[in-house]
Amino acid sequence: MIHFDNVSKRYPGGYEALSGVNLHLDAGELAFLTGHSGAGKSTLLKLLMLLERPTSGALLINGKNVSRLSNFRIPSYRRQLGVVFQDHQLLMDRTVFDNVALPLQVAGFSRKETGRRVRAALDSVGLLSKEKQSPLALSGGEQQRVGIARAVVHKPRILLADEPTGNLDPELSAEIMNLFQRFQDVGVTVLIATHDIDLIHRLNHRIVRLDQGSVAEGGGAYAPAF
Amino acid sequence: MPQPSNQTARRGAVGAKVGLRAKMGAVIAHHRHTLEDSLIRLLRDPFQTLMTTVVVAIALSLPATLLLVVDNVRQFENNFDSFSQITVYVNNTASQQQVAVIQEKIQSFSEVNSLVYVDPKQALNEFTEASGFGSALEYLDDNPLPPVFIIEPAIDVLSLPQKAQKLIAKMVNIDLVDDAQIDMLWLQRLKSLTELGKKVVLALGGALGLGVLVIIGNSIRLAIHSRREEIIVVKLVGGTDAYVRRPFLYFGMLQGLFGALVAGIMLTIGFWWLGGSVENISQLYGSHFMLRGPGFQGFFALLGTGFLLGLAGAWLAVGKHLNHIKPR
């Protein structure tokens, strides 16, 4: 589902954030992405969201090289992704419902279908009762769950998370991770960048460790299905 | 390695796709929603909205006023097209016979189409009736008005100033003719002035239209800036450029429309208010001239102009500023 083939990213100014990354994730797999600050976790996620383009190498999503995708096709590509941000990127001037509905609105879902899916997504993160509230009225953990509901409301095949538990206490963090595992259970490919080493070692999932822009362990061999 | 469930993976793919008809419906719904939302945003910041509206209204009403003035002057000119004539003043001392001779002579000119003789007595009577100076005029010993011929020249004479001048010279040369005047001269001057006026309106309109673009562009720039976060999130969840652009285009369109609406109302009221006085004056001069306001057509033309300028201003601003906002 996700395949990095010798991907490098050099920023203008010469800083090489990623060098020769090889990483493969099967469909329906859940992996954690770890490493020190500056190891390249954020850059790797940005490449996946097409916020940045690789300087060299190929990035295949579902067998298709997206690193040379035209700007025009980026929106429809991003609709296949669900992304959870550390600062959750919620819009505080609208309700929880409207925040979660945003990916459906931009994809052109009808109002009726939107309502149904938003409620299903909010139900899956246990926040159905808060749909009419402002995100400001919610706790940090609840806000992050709204962010997750927004990331999965359009049933993406790939779910990316950038430090989703960064600001949460251990108990809430474990709860959030549980949520991600539940999405994996229904076939979503999940990649979570995190610092929370203690937590992820307790969970039985693959761990990809980045070091200075390269995969130090857990890259996984690519086995083309000939 | 967990085994991916093909079934759910496929369902996920289907989940992201929407049928064309449903999509069209949603796009229309989004247009409507965006229009409502833009209106609410404009009303939520009444001071900024009012400022922009007033400035746009002034910028639009200035050239529109001038255009209406030019239009009215042309209407005035058209009223006087029947006055394309030459007046020949005969000396007061001329006898009836001498006047008859002069009349014959004028009629013999090929450049003269027809002619009307205005008897001094008849003229005085008319003047007495029309002016209301009756009692004052009774004090006059003699009739001060000269015998007058009003000549309608052939059409080609009036269109060529040199020919007209030649004809006038010919008539002045007749014995006992004091003067001959072409009544078109001032009209021609007026016409060339209105031509100039039209050009001034065009230049001013262009400059102020550009001003409207800048004003609306600036207000869009502010709107984009204040909605920066929203733009980023929409782009992150796969909103197309058209989707992101839409609310700002509506915003600009509405502002242009509001400005034009205010300008149109100002003009309509202003011309209605002036119209009464102008009618009084023109009645005093025995004219049927009436001041024409913008009217329905002008009003809607103004609205259309405001709408288009707003849209164009927004388009330019969005094109310039939206690209700078990229998710990081």
Side-chain angles (χ1 to χ4, degrees):
Chain A
M1 181 55 82
I2 298 175
H3 182 73
F4 283 78
D5 187 11
N6 203 20
V7 170
S8 298
K9 175 63 187 175
R10 192 193 305 268
Y11 283 104
Y15 173 67
E16 192 160 53
L18 292 177
S19 45
V21 168
N22 287 301
L23 171 65
H24 180 80
L25 258 79
D26 272 328
E29 201 177 344
L30 187 153
F32 293 110
L33 187 64
T34 67
H36 299 293
S37 305
K41 298 194 297 287
S42 296
T43 302
L44 196 143
L45 288 179
K46 278 181 184 169
L47 290 178
L48 278 169
M49 287 188 263
L50 288 190
L51 292 177
E52 300 285 355
R53 307 274 191 157
T55 314
S56 66
L59 170 55
L60 294 131
I61 301 295
N62 206 16
K64 208 176 146 204
N65 191 350
V66 298
S67 51
R68 295 282 173 266
L69 209 62
S70 72
N71 282 337
F72 179 72
R73 296 195 183 279
I74 288 181
S76 64
Y77 166 74
R78 285 195 188 138
R79 288 178 202 164
Q80 299 177 28
L81 305 179
V83 185
V84 179
F85 304 90
Q86 178 176 12
D87 53 357
H88 42 72
Q89 300 261 29
L90 297 178
L91 298 172
M92 299 304 174
D93 62 346
R94 43 183 91 182
T95 62
V96 166
F97 181 97
D98 287 341
N99 266 286
V100 176
L102 203 58
L104 301 178
Q105 277 169 4
V106 304
F109 279 81
S110 71
R111 195 173 286 233
K112 197 174 142 207
E113 184 67 8
T114 299
R116 201 179 64 73
R117 291 197 184 210
V118 169
R119 291 199 178 88
L122 281 173
D123 194 29
S124 71
V125 298
L127 287 175
L128 191 53
S129 59
K130 312 251 176 172
E131 60 167 297
K132 290 199 177 70
Q133 293 191 17
S134 158
L136 284 172
L138 305 181
S139 69
E142 286 171 331
Q143 285 179 353
Q144 193 55 283
R145 272 148 62 199
V146 174
I148 293 170
R150 187 183 64 192
V152 300
V153 71
H154 53 302
K155 297 188 180 165
R157 284 185 276 181
I158 296 172
L159 183 58
L160 306 174
D162 189 7
E163 304 281 359
T165 60
N167 301 322
L168 302 178
D169 60 49
E171 206 173 313
L172 281 173
S173 298
E175 215 175 279
I176 298 283
M177 290 303 181
N178 266 331
L179 262 175
F180 283 122
Q181 292 185 70
R182 281 193 3 229
F183 292 117
Q184 186 216 354
D185 288 344
V186 295
V188 180
T189 311
V190 187
L191 183 62
I192 304 166
T194 180
H195 269 121
D196 209 337
I197 306 293
D198 294 342
L199 177 64
I200 61 177
H201 278 290
R202 268 184 280 134
L203 302 165
N204 188 23
H205 288 291
R206 180 166 145 203
I207 296 171
V208 179
R209 191 164 64 81
L210 285 180
D211 190 26
Q212 296 185 348
S214 300
V215 177
E217 63 180 89
Y222 183 41
F226 287 121
Chain B
M1 204 180 300
Q3 202 57 24
S5 147
N6 274 334
Q7 219 177 342
T8 42
R10 215 180 295 132
R11 201 180 62 205
V14 169
K17 281 188 187 140
V18 184
L20 190 66
R21 186 182 291 191
K23 205 161 204 163
M24 284 305 293
V27 167
I28 292 166
H30 182 243
H31 272 279
R32 211 182 52 214
H33 173 79
T34 308
L35 181 61
E36 285 167 13
D37 187 61
S38 300
L39 260 174
I40 290 167
R41 274 171 202 279
L42 282 169
L43 296 178
R44 212 186 285 159
D45 193 358
F47 184 70
Q48 174 70 30
T49 305
L50 197 71
M51 289 252 291
T52 313
T53 303
V54 167
V55 176
V56 170
I58 291 170
L60 283 176
S61 57
L62 269 174
T65 307
L66 273 177
L67 192 68
L68 281 173
V69 168
V70 170
D71 190 48
N72 274 295
V73 171
R74 280 164 79 186
Q75 182 208 346
F76 182 70
E77 284 168 5
N78 292 340
N79 269 357
F80 283 86
D81 263 357
S82 58
F83 275 51
S84 47
Q85 57 197 16
I86 294 172
T87 312
V88 176
Y89 300 94
V90 180
N91 195 294
N92 263 343
T93 60
S95 66
Q96 293 277 357
Q97 285 87 349
Q98 282 167 322
V99 169
V101 169
I102 293 169
Q103 176 162 4
E104 245 173 65
K105 212 162 191 181
I106 293 174
Q107 261 166 342
S108 71
F109 293 150
S110 62
E111 299 98 323
V112 174
N113 237 0
S114 65
L115 115 179
V116 176
Y117 174 60
V118 184
D119 186 71
K121 266 187 224 150
Q122 179 201 338
L124 186 65
N125 284 342
E126 271 178 23
F127 182 66
T128 311
E129 274 173 31
S131 66
F133 291 134
S135 47
L137 291 169
E138 276 170 23
Y139 288 102
L140 292 171
D141 292 334
D142 297 321
N143 185 352
L145 298 175
V148 166
F149 291 107
I150 294 168
I151 292 161
E152 195 187 302
I155 294 166
D156 65 316
V157 174
L158 278 171
S159 55
L160 286 170
Q162 299 101 310
K163 274 195 177 176
Q165 292 298 333
K166 232 179 186 171
L167 181 61
I168 286 172
K170 260 159 106 181
M171 288 192 289
V172 174
N173 277 339
I174 302 170
D175 274 347
L176 288 169
V177 168
D178 279 351
D179 200 6
Q181 277 182 357
I182 187 159
D183 293 341
M184 281 296 286
L185 206 57
W186 68 273
L187 206 56
Q188 275 171 351
R189 287 186 187 137
L190 192 62
K191 267 190 176 154
S192 53
L193 272 177
T194 50
E195 283 303 308
L196 180 70
K198 254 164 72 184
K199 282 180 184 162
V200 171
V201 167
L202 218 63
L204 196 72
L208 288 170
L210 210 66
V212 171
L213 283 186
V214 171
I215 296 156
I216 289 179
N218 190 51
S219 98
I220 296 295
R221 187 182 62 84
L222 291 175
I224 289 173
H225 191 74
S226 74
R227 294 174 75 176
R228 195 188 173 83
E229 237 181 289
E230 186 185 336
I231 293 166
I232 288 176
V233 173
V234 167
K235 280 191 174 180
L236 280 175
V237 299
T240 56
D241 284 350
Y243 186 94
V244 174
R245 210 185 289 134
R246 206 168 293 151
F248 299 106
L249 296 185
Y250 270 105
F251 199 72
M253 239 155 55
L254 283 175
Q255 286 200 322
L257 211 55
F258 281 178
L261 194 68
V262 171
I265 291 171
M266 274 176 7
L267 281 179
T268 306
I269 292 177
F271 272 77
W272 170 77
W273 182 60
L274 285 176
S277 319
V278 170
E279 210 177 323
N280 275 342
I281 294 171
S282 71
Q283 260 171 12
L284 285 177
Y285 281 88
S287 161
H288 296 293
F289 175 76
M290 267 167 66
L291 196 64
R292 266 206 305 223
F296 264 112
Q297 234 182 329
F299 198 86
F300 281 105
L302 196 62
L303 286 189
T305 309
F307 173 87
L308 286 178
L309 283 175
L311 188 63
W315 197 283
L316 291 174
V318 165
K320 187 172 178 326
H321 298 290
L322 220 50
N323 281 340
H324 293 308
I325 300 180
K326 289 223 169 82
R328 283 278 157 240

